[in-house]
Amino acid sequence: MSTVVPLDPEKPSQAVPLAGLNQLLDLAKTRSPDDQHRLLMGVAGLYESAADHGGAPEALADIFVALTRSAEREIRQVLAQRLAKVEWAPVALVRMLAADEIQIARPVIAASPLLLDDDLLQLLTDCSIEHQIQIALRPDLGAVVAQAIIAGGDPAVMTALATNRSARIEPAAFADLVDRSRQLAALRAPLTRHPSLDEDLALRLYQWVGEALRQAISDRFTLDPARLAQAVQSAAQTTSRTAAEWGAAPPPTADDIDARLVAKLHAAGQLRPAYLIRALREEKLGVFAHGLAVLGRFEVSQIYRALGGDTARPLFLACIAVGLDRAAFPALLTEIRKLNKGFPRDPDSSAWRLAERSADQAAYEFRLLMADIDAASV
């Protein structure tokens, strides 16, 4: 029986017997998952050591890839975490892990220095929406890949790109993203905070965002009042008929009154998460919706869709995003359903409430869910 000859890191050029390496692969397939894990981590350590001494032989890289391909899912996931940021791993192995199921691929796509623009473009073409979203979130994403994401036009992936402030987006591509936000509401909030947004594009964006995001734009830029008024007028001309067409200004609706109240509270610094709970206790669902939108810098139309949804998950995420205590959500949901004909419903139980999320993570998840709903309704 032939044996596997250990690699001497002081002699990187020595040959590794292929028969012995193939025997190692055959042996791995008959071992328990724990034995496979130890074997694969041992090969990883051997490969790293060889890389530090001039490079590993090609045969060892082939075996490393083959062992990983036949390994259990949990083992591949551990390996992906280990190789996510290293420069010594076989490129073929990193590419394979990046195309694996998203739980395995995520750390590699997010951080591996071995994935080049061409690799990311191939993943955009071949892999799932979840992979594409992770690519869009990759730090310092290249301009070519960002352009491909915008050209692809998927709402969730473009929204992820809009939240990535380190992505290199060419001016023309960013302007395209701003224009797309006219139809895709989920893009608007992240674009108002994006470092590539200049005054001209801010004025364009100002025309179709809600009151909360208009305030955010005004806070960020010193806008010429004349140009601001022109932007508002332009927005009005693209919406429904003006009051003049009716012969008189229509009376404010209940929703208009709720929006004005919330705007006044916000301007006075009195709009707090606790006020949202108070609004529900006073049976003011519209005030709750507008307040949640302003505090989270969401579109109020998104909040109303969350309130009328078939799952309470989007509403839960919006509440976490503005700082409401997750422990208070069940009682809050009960109050909302009393005022809203039993909505939102909750057919998927409450498993999604278990994962801990920061306010930023919850806001991001909420916008992705809303982008999916927007896309499905087109």
Side-chain angles (χ1 to χ4, degrees):
M1 179 183 295
S2 60
T3 59
V4 177
V5 179
L7 183 66
D8 183 354
E10 298 300 326
K11 299 179 181 179
S13 62
Q14 77 180 90
V16 178
L18 285 177
L21 291 174
N22 289 331
Q23 178 190 356
L24 181 65
L25 180 58
D26 292 337
L27 181 63
K29 294 177 181 178
T30 66
R31 309 295 289 181
S32 70
D34 285 345
D35 288 340
Q36 289 183 15
H37 178 267
R38 285 192 292 270
L39 176 59
L40 192 56
M41 293 304 135
V43 173
L46 183 62
Y47 198 94
E48 180 179 10
S49 177
D52 291 339
H53 295 83
E58 185 177 346
L60 183 58
D62 292 341
I63 288 298
F64 199 179
V65 172
L67 284 172
T68 302
R69 183 177 289 113
S70 63
E72 298 284 340
R73 175 186 181 278
E74 291 75 12
I75 299 174
R76 301 199 310 276
Q77 193 164 4
V78 171
L79 184 65
Q81 292 283 355
R82 177 171 179 179
L83 301 185
K85 298 180 180 180
V86 307
E87 297 184 358
W88 51 261
V91 174
L93 177 57
V94 170
R95 289 171 178 161
M96 184 179 76
L97 291 171
D100 209 324
E101 60 183 276
I102 188 59
Q103 290 82 359
I104 296 168
R106 183 174 285 114
V108 177
I109 293 174
S112 177
L114 300 178
L115 290 177
L116 304 180
D117 282 355
D118 285 345
D119 301 314
L120 298 173
L121 290 171
Q122 192 65 48
L123 290 170
L124 284 176
T125 300
D126 296 344
C127 294
S128 71
I129 289 295
E130 287 80 7
H131 288 76
Q132 295 175 43
I133 289 171
Q134 191 59 59
I135 293 168
L137 295 171
R138 180 178 165 98
D140 299 313
L141 187 70
V144 172
V145 183
Q147 176 63 57
I149 288 171
I150 298 170
D154 183 272
V157 184
M158 289 194 297
T159 302
L161 178 64
T163 68
N164 185 352
R165 301 185 190 182
S166 67
R168 295 188 290 277
I169 307 177
E170 295 293 339
F174 190 81
D176 187 9
L177 205 56
V178 170
D179 287 339
R180 288 173 184 262
S181 73
R182 185 166 199 151
Q183 301 298 326
L184 181 57
L187 285 172
R188 297 170 189 170
L191 287 177
T192 62
R193 299 188 290 272
H194 200 283
S196 296
L197 186 70
D198 59 25
E199 186 170 314
D200 288 338
L201 289 176
L203 279 167
R204 190 185 305 179
L205 185 60
Y206 192 93
Q207 297 178 43
W208 50 77
V209 298
E211 194 61 40
L213 294 182
R214 284 185 176 181
Q215 183 62 51
I217 292 172
S218 297
D219 290 344
R220 179 176 171 184
F221 297 96
T222 305
L223 299 174
D224 178 16
R227 297 182 69 192
L228 202 59
Q230 184 178 8
V232 173
Q233 182 180 7
S234 177
Q237 290 172 348
T238 60
T239 57
S240 60
R241 289 177 294 178
T242 64
E245 292 177 282
W246 290 94
T253 64
D255 199 60
D256 292 334
I257 294 171
D258 291 338
R260 291 173 187 175
L261 172 59
V262 168
K264 288 179 181 179
L265 290 169
H266 183 58
Q270 297 176 0
L271 187 63
R272 303 275 193 277
Y275 183 82
L276 302 182
I277 298 175
R278 175 183 165 186
L280 289 176
R281 289 173 180 167
E282 295 176 355
E283 300 185 357
K284 297 177 180 178
L285 186 60
V287 172
F288 170 84
H290 282 277
L292 187 57
V294 169
L295 288 175
R297 293 189 172 182
F298 306 129
E299 294 296 314
V300 72
S301 60
Q302 294 176 325
I303 300 300
Y304 277 126
R305 287 202 299 277
L307 287 169
D310 289 328
T311 169
R313 182 179 180 183
L315 181 62
F316 172 77
L317 293 170
C319 290
I320 297 301
V322 303
L324 281 166
D325 187 349
R326 64 194 299 123
F329 185 74
L332 180 146
L333 184 58
T334 298
E335 293 295 327
I336 290 172
R337 286 173 172 161
K338 289 178 182 177
L339 302 173
N340 201 38
K341 300 179 180 179
F343 285 91
R345 297 198 173 114
D346 200 9
D348 53 356
S349 184
S350 58
W352 37 264
R353 298 184 201 166
L354 300 179
E356 291 291 338
R357 298 172 177 84
S358 67
D360 287 343
Q361 287 173 324
Y364 172 68
E365 287 186 48
F366 174 80
R367 292 188 176 101
L368 283 186
L369 282 176
M370 291 299 103
D372 288 341
I373 293 170
D374 289 340
S377 65
V378 172

